[in-house]
Amino acid sequence: MRSNRVTAADIARATGLSRATVGFVLNNTPGQTISEATRQRVLRVAKDLGYHPHPAARTLARGRSNIVVLLLPDWPLGYSLGRNLDEASQALDAHGLTLITQTIRPRTSAHPLWEAVLPDVVMGLLAFPAEEVRRMRAAGVRAVIPDGSDGQFRVDQLTFTDGPAMQVEHLLTRGAQRLVWAQPGDPRLASLAQERYATARRRAEELGHTLETVIVGTDRPMTEPLVVPRAGERVGVAAFDDEMAARVVGSAVRAGIAVPDQLAVIGHDDTPIAALFVPALTTVRIDVSGLGKLMAALAVHSVLGNPMPAVGPEARAQLIVRESS
Amino acid sequence: MRSNRVTAADIARATGLSRATVGFVLNNTPGQTISEATRQRVLRVAKDLGYHPHPAARTLARGRSNIVVLLLPDWPLGYSLGRNLDEASQALDAHGLTLITQTIRPRTSAHPLWEAVLPDVVMGLLAFPAEEVRRMRAAGVRAVIPDGSDGQFRVDQLTFTDGPAMQVEHLLTRGAQRLVWAQPGDPRLASLAQERYATARRRAEELGHTLETVIVGTDRPMTEPLVVPRAGERVGVAAFDDEMAARVVGSAVRAGIAVPDQLAVIGHDDTPIAALFVPALTTVRIDVSGLGKLMAALAVHSVLGNPMPAVGPEARAQLIVRESS
DNA sequence: CAGATTTGATCCCATTGCGGC
DNA sequence: AGCCGCAATGGGATCAAATCT
């Protein structure tokens, strides 16, 4: 049962020093004065022995795991977010924190991750249900972001709401007489889709238009057009994302409907498919440069109590006009 | 600094029992007989107090973290793999193990995850470099799968090699006179692409053909055809993946090249884009049913010493013929 | 004297307050 | 003042042994 793991005690033994001194050197403990000779000796022996501090022991002693868990929804996450995660991971690492991401799928994860690793912070892109926040806290998680408290930062609001309004504006600029929203049938996307739809609809109504809805199922054959313009009518379709847009455009092209003259379509997310498609899809790119850094800063702030830097994600929706509108 | 965390000692105090007894009840320790009354009392109090065992303390005491880390390459991972991960996660959970996945991106991750959480097992889809295996072991990771030892299971071999051979065979069946391989320019995909290419080339040569290569850059404008058939010639393109296929097909269509008559293209992975594209892309679907269960079984085996069940991933490449070939 | 119950004592390993030389 | 050691702490797992029927 005895493991062959090298512990700080082994180093103490090998150097003839106490565990405490070894600890001070290894942690660069402030407020301690260690002679350079001793310091070097400890570091040398630690290296020779191949010492690795035991994370669990450290966590226990410090009362902090230095782990940050980021819970991601089961969405098709764009390229931009991927880069932001890298950014966040790097920024956290610089403070000795480790980022662990987990994708939350509907009926998966019997045992929540935060009970298995006890992170200092659990972050998410959407607000957590109050009940879940309570459970995390009860399990010992110190900070939950966002935690639903008043005035709290909500990533989703910054990130995902400008786009649909831009879609609607763009379609009207292009002379659309009828507006249709292409909604995904996938229930996993329901909540996000609702938010986007609401934004699009609000903007449409502000501009004196109504917004019809068509549900785009995944199983439906592509041979049948999803949206059919009446004779001489210009229809504009705002799609939940590029895949929905591709389905609308694809089915229209096959049915001989002229895109974009009869049917103008705009997608969302600027996924690779948008640029590749024939005709290339007009879309909205959400650029959240700085989101990763902001998330990292929030986490560092709540763990180490660092002052919150005035970073902010510059979430901006950008119109990418191509051939489908 | 006193934390308000509820510990087993609190339960002992509240029930008037010893920490040991409390521990036996909470862990269902085998070989211990606890009176039903005591057991109920402990469980009741634990619940009332909102007791949550401290994972780090548990890990320290047991010498095992019950965490399994799965390192994923930065590939576009298919739908199938996503489901397999769920499957693996569930299966591990049933044994009290927690799965943490991390995507390894080139120059990310300054501090390796396995040093921050000290998993019992680190798994990967590809063989790890020997040096890395050594480092993991040195950090205290008990098992690495695959670890490069002789006869070891290698997921990648099972998963990713049949497809390219099928692509080549299919194109020849379709009457291709010249064979071209569409290679991604993205360096992240280089190693995987090399493997696929080698397989395709081998098969082509076995069948008495040569395999040219065209590199598909992401930045290249879609207005210029990537592959141009000579007059009266039938060219077959085997693409690394569906995105490459889409680029080849898209640029050809815009240039007025007839697909599939002059240029037949087949992709790989059966990503959503393949079905959506106009013309719909012929592709290869890799189905690895059971992979998740196998990974879980391997991990459970190496952590708990359970006998290895005779599960195996039934990795099979399946041809999905659509319009592009 | 069993057998059923329960407990004291140690260990896991790093961190850190207090104190000694 | 400069260097360093003792000992307690964090929370749970577990073995040997005591106590109760």
Side-chain angles (χ1 to χ4, degrees), chain A residues 19-64:
Chain A
R19 321 179 191 332
T21 305
V22 171
F24 293 146
V25 172
L26 261 23
N27 293 305
N28 264 313
T29 309
Q32 293 290 338
T33 51
I34 306 286
S35 71
E36 192 53 28
T38 302
R39 153 178 256 89
Q40 290 306 331
R41 192 150 51 104
V42 170
L43 293 176
R44 179 101 181 75
V45 171
K47 192 167 190 182
D48 288 350
L49 262 45
Y51 172 70
H52 288 263
H54 194 303
R58 175 175 283 189
T59 293
L60 188 56
R62 283 214 270 242
R64 251 189 312 115

Short mmCIF file of all heavy atoms in Angstrom, two decimals, chain A residues 19-64:
data_model
loop_
_atom_site.label_atom_id
_atom_site.label_comp_id
_atom_site.label_asym_id
_atom_site.label_seq_id
_atom_site.Cartn_x
_atom_site.Cartn_y
_atom_site.Cartn_z
N ARG A 19 10.68 19.62 7.22
CA ARG A 19 9.65 19.73 6.19
C ARG A 19 9.27 21.20 6.00
O ARG A 19 8.99 21.63 4.90
CB ARG A 19 8.36 19.05 6.60
CG ARG A 19 8.47 17.75 7.33
CD ARG A 19 7.02 17.28 7.64
NE ARG A 19 6.91 16.16 8.55
CZ ARG A 19 7.82 15.23 8.73
NH1 ARG A 19 8.94 15.29 8.05
NH2 ARG A 19 7.62 14.26 9.58
N ALA A 20 9.26 21.93 7.10
CA ALA A 20 8.83 23.33 7.01
C ALA A 20 9.74 24.12 6.09
O ALA A 20 9.28 24.80 5.18
CB ALA A 20 8.82 23.95 8.40
N THR A 21 11.02 23.99 6.33
CA THR A 21 11.97 24.73 5.49
C THR A 21 11.80 24.34 4.03
O THR A 21 11.78 25.19 3.14
CB THR A 21 13.41 24.42 5.94
OG1 THR A 21 13.52 24.71 7.33
CG2 THR A 21 14.39 25.25 5.15
N VAL A 22 11.69 23.07 3.82
CA VAL A 22 11.48 22.60 2.45
C VAL A 22 10.24 23.25 1.85
O VAL A 22 10.26 23.73 0.72
CB VAL A 22 11.33 21.06 2.42
CG1 VAL A 22 10.91 20.59 1.04
CG2 VAL A 22 12.64 20.41 2.83
N GLY A 23 9.21 23.27 2.64
CA GLY A 23 7.98 23.89 2.17
C GLY A 23 8.17 25.35 1.82
O GLY A 23 7.69 25.82 0.80
N PHE A 24 8.88 26.06 2.68
CA PHE A 24 9.10 27.49 2.43
C PHE A 24 9.82 27.71 1.12
O PHE A 24 9.45 28.59 0.34
CB PHE A 24 9.93 28.09 3.57
CG PHE A 24 9.20 28.12 4.89
CD1 PHE A 24 9.88 27.94 6.09
CD2 PHE A 24 7.83 28.33 4.92
CE1 PHE A 24 9.20 27.96 7.30
CE2 PHE A 24 7.15 28.35 6.14
CZ PHE A 24 7.84 28.17 7.32
N VAL A 25 10.81 26.90 0.88
CA VAL A 25 11.55 27.05 -0.37
C VAL A 25 10.66 26.74 -1.56
O VAL A 25 10.56 27.50 -2.51
CB VAL A 25 12.77 26.11 -0.40
CG1 VAL A 25 13.42 26.14 -1.78
CG2 VAL A 25 13.77 26.52 0.68
N LEU A 26 10.00 25.61 -1.47
CA LEU A 26 9.19 25.16 -2.60
C LEU A 26 8.05 26.12 -2.93
O LEU A 26 7.61 26.19 -4.07
CB LEU A 26 8.63 23.76 -2.30
CG LEU A 26 9.35 22.55 -2.91
CD1 LEU A 26 10.79 22.84 -3.24
CD2 LEU A 26 9.23 21.36 -2.00
N ASN A 27 7.58 26.82 -1.94
CA ASN A 27 6.46 27.73 -2.19
C ASN A 27 6.87 29.18 -2.27
O ASN A 27 6.02 30.05 -2.42
CB ASN A 27 5.41 27.58 -1.09
CG ASN A 27 4.76 26.24 -1.12
OD1 ASN A 27 4.23 25.83 -2.14
ND2 ASN A 27 4.84 25.53 -0.01
N ASN A 28 8.17 29.42 -2.10
CA ASN A 28 8.60 30.81 -2.11
C ASN A 28 7.80 31.62 -1.10
O ASN A 28 7.37 32.73 -1.38
CB ASN A 28 8.42 31.42 -3.49
CG ASN A 28 9.70 31.36 -4.28
OD1 ASN A 28 10.76 31.70 -3.76
ND2 ASN A 28 9.61 30.89 -5.51
N THR A 29 7.56 31.01 0.03
CA THR A 29 6.70 31.64 1.02
C THR A 29 7.21 33.03 1.37
O THR A 29 8.37 33.20 1.76
CB THR A 29 6.69 30.80 2.31
OG1 THR A 29 6.39 29.45 1.97
CG2 THR A 29 5.65 31.33 3.28
N PRO A 30 6.37 34.02 1.21
CA PRO A 30 6.77 35.39 1.54
C PRO A 30 6.93 35.53 3.05
O PRO A 30 6.26 34.84 3.83
CB PRO A 30 5.61 36.23 1.02
CG PRO A 30 4.44 35.31 1.01
CD PRO A 30 4.99 33.94 0.74
N GLY A 31 7.81 36.42 3.46
CA GLY A 31 7.99 36.65 4.89
C GLY A 31 8.93 35.66 5.52
O GLY A 31 9.07 35.59 6.73
N GLN A 32 9.56 34.84 4.68
CA GLN A 32 10.52 33.88 5.21
C GLN A 32 11.88 34.19 4.61
O GLN A 32 11.98 34.53 3.43
CB GLN A 32 10.12 32.46 4.83
CG GLN A 32 8.86 31.97 5.48
CD GLN A 32 9.02 31.73 6.98
OE1 GLN A 32 10.14 31.53 7.46
NE2 GLN A 32 7.93 31.75 7.71
N THR A 33 12.89 34.08 5.40
CA THR A 33 14.22 34.31 4.87
C THR A 33 14.97 32.98 4.86
O THR A 33 15.16 32.36 5.89
CB THR A 33 15.00 35.31 5.73
OG1 THR A 33 14.94 34.89 7.09
CG2 THR A 33 14.40 36.69 5.60
N ILE A 34 15.30 32.56 3.70
CA ILE A 34 16.02 31.30 3.53
C ILE A 34 17.35 31.62 2.88
O ILE A 34 17.39 32.38 1.91
CB ILE A 34 15.21 30.35 2.61
CG1 ILE A 34 13.79 30.16 3.14
CG2 ILE A 34 15.93 29.03 2.47
CD1 ILE A 34 13.67 29.29 4.35
N SER A 35 18.39 31.02 3.37
CA SER A 35 19.70 31.30 2.79
C SER A 35 19.76 30.73 1.38
O SER A 35 19.14 29.70 1.09
CB SER A 35 20.81 30.68 3.64
OG SER A 35 20.79 29.28 3.50
N GLU A 36 20.49 31.40 0.56
CA GLU A 36 20.56 30.99 -0.83
C GLU A 36 21.09 29.56 -0.96
O GLU A 36 20.63 28.78 -1.79
CB GLU A 36 21.45 31.97 -1.60
CG GLU A 36 21.38 31.82 -3.10
CD GLU A 36 19.95 31.88 -3.65
OE1 GLU A 36 19.09 32.53 -3.00
OE2 GLU A 36 19.69 31.24 -4.68
N ALA A 37 22.04 29.23 -0.12
CA ALA A 37 22.63 27.89 -0.18
C ALA A 37 21.55 26.83 0.08
O ALA A 37 21.42 25.86 -0.67
CB ALA A 37 23.74 27.77 0.86
N THR A 38 20.79 27.05 1.14
CA THR A 38 19.72 26.11 1.48
C THR A 38 18.71 26.01 0.36
O THR A 38 18.32 24.92 -0.07
CB THR A 38 19.01 26.57 2.76
OG1 THR A 38 19.95 26.68 3.81
CG2 THR A 38 17.93 25.58 3.14
N ARG A 39 18.31 27.15 -0.10
CA ARG A 39 17.32 27.19 -1.19
C ARG A 39 17.78 26.34 -2.37
O ARG A 39 17.04 25.51 -2.88
CB ARG A 39 17.11 28.66 -1.59
CG ARG A 39 16.68 28.86 -3.03
CD ARG A 39 16.43 30.32 -3.36
NE ARG A 39 15.00 30.57 -3.42
CZ ARG A 39 14.23 30.92 -2.43
NH1 ARG A 39 14.73 31.06 -1.23
NH2 ARG A 39 12.95 31.11 -2.61
N GLN A 40 19.01 26.57 -2.78
CA GLN A 40 19.52 25.82 -3.93
C GLN A 40 19.57 24.33 -3.64
O GLN A 40 19.24 23.52 -4.49
CB GLN A 40 20.93 26.32 -4.30
CG GLN A 40 20.95 27.72 -4.90
CD GLN A 40 20.02 27.86 -6.09
OE1 GLN A 40 19.75 26.90 -6.82
NE2 GLN A 40 19.47 29.06 -6.28
N ARG A 41 19.97 24.01 -2.43
CA ARG A 41 20.08 22.60 -2.08
C ARG A 41 18.71 21.91 -2.17
O ARG A 41 18.57 20.83 -2.74
CB ARG A 41 20.65 22.48 -0.65
CG ARG A 41 21.09 21.10 -0.27
CD ARG A 41 22.24 21.14 0.73
NE ARG A 41 21.96 22.01 1.87
CZ ARG A 41 21.63 21.58 3.10
NH1 ARG A 41 21.54 20.30 3.33
NH2 ARG A 41 21.40 22.43 4.07
N VAL A 42 17.74 22.58 -1.63
CA VAL A 42 16.39 22.02 -1.66
C VAL A 42 15.90 21.84 -3.10
O VAL A 42 15.41 20.79 -3.49
CB VAL A 42 15.39 22.92 -0.90
CG1 VAL A 42 13.96 22.47 -1.14
CG2 VAL A 42 15.71 22.90 0.58
N LEU A 43 16.08 22.89 -3.88
CA LEU A 43 15.60 22.83 -5.26
C LEU A 43 16.32 21.72 -6.03
O LEU A 43 15.72 20.99 -6.81
CB LEU A 43 15.81 24.18 -5.95
CG LEU A 43 14.96 25.31 -5.38
CD1 LEU A 43 15.29 26.65 -6.05
CD2 LEU A 43 13.48 25.00 -5.53
N ARG A 44 17.59 21.61 -5.77
CA ARG A 44 18.39 20.59 -6.45
C ARG A 44 17.87 19.19 -6.11
O ARG A 44 17.60 18.38 -6.99
CB ARG A 44 19.84 20.75 -5.97
CG ARG A 44 20.82 19.77 -6.56
CD ARG A 44 21.63 20.43 -7.68
NE ARG A 44 22.57 19.48 -8.28
CZ ARG A 44 22.21 18.50 -9.10
NH1 ARG A 44 20.94 18.35 -9.42
NH2 ARG A 44 23.11 17.69 -9.61
N VAL A 45 17.74 18.96 -4.82
CA VAL A 45 17.28 17.63 -4.39
C VAL A 45 15.87 17.35 -4.89
O VAL A 45 15.56 16.24 -5.32
CB VAL A 45 17.34 17.52 -2.85
CG1 VAL A 45 16.67 16.24 -2.39
CG2 VAL A 45 18.78 17.58 -2.37
N ALA A 46 15.02 18.37 -4.85
CA ALA A 46 13.65 18.19 -5.32
C ALA A 46 13.66 17.73 -6.76
O ALA A 46 12.93 16.82 -7.16
CB ALA A 46 12.87 19.49 -5.17
N LYS A 47 14.51 18.36 -7.53
CA LYS A 47 14.59 18.02 -8.94
C LYS A 47 15.15 16.61 -9.13
O LYS A 47 14.63 15.81 -9.91
CB LYS A 47 15.47 19.04 -9.66
CG LYS A 47 15.39 18.94 -11.15
CD LYS A 47 16.01 20.15 -11.81
CE LYS A 47 15.72 20.18 -13.30
NZ LYS A 47 16.36 21.34 -13.95
N ASP A 48 16.22 16.34 -8.40
CA ASP A 48 16.85 15.02 -8.54
C ASP A 48 15.89 13.90 -8.18
O ASP A 48 15.84 12.87 -8.85
CB ASP A 48 18.08 14.93 -7.63
CG ASP A 48 19.23 15.78 -8.16
OD1 ASP A 48 19.12 16.28 -9.30
OD2 ASP A 48 20.22 15.96 -7.42
N LEU A 49 15.15 14.13 -7.11
CA LEU A 49 14.24 13.09 -6.66
C LEU A 49 12.98 13.02 -7.53
O LEU A 49 12.22 12.06 -7.48
CB LEU A 49 13.84 13.34 -5.20
CG LEU A 49 14.60 12.56 -4.13
CD1 LEU A 49 16.09 12.58 -4.42
CD2 LEU A 49 14.35 13.17 -2.76
N GLY A 50 12.77 14.05 -8.32
CA GLY A 50 11.57 14.09 -9.15
C GLY A 50 10.34 14.38 -8.31
O GLY A 50 9.32 13.69 -8.40
N TYR A 51 10.45 15.40 -7.51
CA TYR A 51 9.34 15.73 -6.61
C TYR A 51 8.17 16.39 -7.33
O TYR A 51 8.36 17.28 -8.16
CB TYR A 51 9.85 16.66 -5.51
CG TYR A 51 8.76 17.21 -4.64
CD1 TYR A 51 8.08 16.39 -3.74
CD2 TYR A 51 8.38 18.55 -4.71
CE1 TYR A 51 7.08 16.89 -2.95
CE2 TYR A 51 7.38 19.06 -3.92
CZ TYR A 51 6.72 18.22 -3.04
OH TYR A 51 5.73 18.72 -2.25
N HIS A 52 6.99 15.94 -7.02
CA HIS A 52 5.76 16.57 -7.52
C HIS A 52 4.82 16.73 -6.34
O HIS A 52 4.44 15.71 -5.75
CB HIS A 52 5.07 15.70 -8.57
CG HIS A 52 5.80 15.65 -9.86
ND1 HIS A 52 5.46 16.46 -10.93
CD2 HIS A 52 6.85 14.91 -10.27
CE1 HIS A 52 6.27 16.20 -11.94
NE2 HIS A 52 7.12 15.26 -11.58
N PRO A 53 4.46 17.93 -6.00
CA PRO A 53 3.54 18.09 -4.86
C PRO A 53 2.23 17.38 -5.13
O PRO A 53 1.77 17.31 -6.27
CB PRO A 53 3.34 19.61 -4.79
CG PRO A 53 3.72 20.13 -6.12
CD PRO A 53 4.77 19.20 -6.64
N HIS A 54 1.66 16.82 -4.11
CA HIS A 54 0.40 16.10 -4.26
C HIS A 54 -0.75 17.09 -4.24
O HIS A 54 -0.99 17.74 -3.23
CB HIS A 54 0.27 15.12 -3.10
CG HIS A 54 -0.81 14.09 -3.31
ND1 HIS A 54 -2.11 14.44 -3.56
CD2 HIS A 54 -0.76 12.75 -3.34
CE1 HIS A 54 -2.82 13.33 -3.71
NE2 HIS A 54 -2.01 12.30 -3.59
N PRO A 55 -1.46 17.20 -5.36
CA PRO A 55 -2.50 18.22 -5.47
C PRO A 55 -3.57 18.10 -4.38
O PRO A 55 -4.04 19.12 -3.86
CB PRO A 55 -3.10 18.02 -6.85
CG PRO A 55 -2.38 16.90 -7.49
CD PRO A 55 -1.33 16.40 -6.58
N ALA A 56 -3.94 16.89 -4.05
CA ALA A 56 -5.01 16.73 -3.06
C ALA A 56 -4.55 17.23 -1.69
O ALA A 56 -5.29 17.91 -0.97
CB ALA A 56 -5.44 15.28 -2.97
N ALA A 57 -3.32 16.90 -1.35
CA ALA A 57 -2.79 17.33 -0.05
C ALA A 57 -2.71 18.85 -0.02
O ALA A 57 -3.05 19.50 0.98
CB ALA A 57 -1.41 16.72 0.17
N ARG A 58 -2.27 19.40 -1.10
CA ARG A 58 -2.16 20.85 -1.18
C ARG A 58 -3.53 21.50 -1.04
O ARG A 58 -3.71 22.47 -0.30
CB ARG A 58 -1.54 21.20 -2.53
CG ARG A 58 -1.48 22.64 -2.82
CD ARG A 58 -0.75 22.88 -4.11
NE ARG A 58 0.68 22.76 -3.92
CZ ARG A 58 1.57 23.10 -4.85
NH1 ARG A 58 1.16 23.55 -6.02
NH2 ARG A 58 2.85 23.00 -4.61
N THR A 59 -4.49 20.94 -1.76
CA THR A 59 -5.85 21.47 -1.69
C THR A 59 -6.37 21.42 -0.26
O THR A 59 -6.95 22.38 0.25
CB THR A 59 -6.79 20.63 -2.58
OG1 THR A 59 -6.41 20.82 -3.94
CG2 THR A 59 -8.24 21.05 -2.38
N LEU A 60 -6.13 20.31 0.37
CA LEU A 60 -6.63 20.14 1.73
C LEU A 60 -5.99 21.16 2.67
O LEU A 60 -6.67 21.81 3.47
CB LEU A 60 -6.31 18.72 2.20
CG LEU A 60 -6.92 18.30 3.53
CD1 LEU A 60 -8.43 18.45 3.48
CD2 LEU A 60 -6.54 16.86 3.83
N ALA A 61 -4.70 21.30 2.53
CA ALA A 61 -3.99 22.20 3.43
C ALA A 61 -4.34 23.66 3.17
O ALA A 61 -4.51 24.45 4.10
CB ALA A 61 -2.49 21.99 3.29
N ARG A 62 -4.43 23.99 1.91
CA ARG A 62 -4.69 25.39 1.58
C ARG A 62 -6.17 25.77 1.70
O ARG A 62 -6.50 26.93 1.82
CB ARG A 62 -4.26 25.67 0.14
CG ARG A 62 -2.78 25.82 -0.02
CD ARG A 62 -2.48 26.85 -1.09
NE ARG A 62 -2.37 26.24 -2.40
CZ ARG A 62 -1.26 26.27 -3.13
NH1 ARG A 62 -0.18 26.86 -2.67
NH2 ARG A 62 -1.23 25.75 -4.32
N GLY A 63 -7.00 24.74 1.63
CA GLY A 63 -8.42 25.04 1.65
C GLY A 63 -8.90 25.56 0.31
O GLY A 63 -9.97 26.15 0.19
N ARG A 64 -8.09 25.35 -0.71
CA ARG A 64 -8.45 25.82 -2.05
C ARG A 64 -7.92 24.85 -3.06
O ARG A 64 -6.81 24.37 -2.94
CB ARG A 64 -7.77 27.18 -2.30
CG ARG A 64 -8.71 28.28 -2.32
CD ARG A 64 -8.16 29.61 -2.76
NE ARG A 64 -6.94 30.07 -2.19
CZ ARG A 64 -5.83 30.23 -2.90
NH1 ARG A 64 -5.82 29.95 -4.18
NH2 ARG A 64 -4.74 30.69 -2.34
#
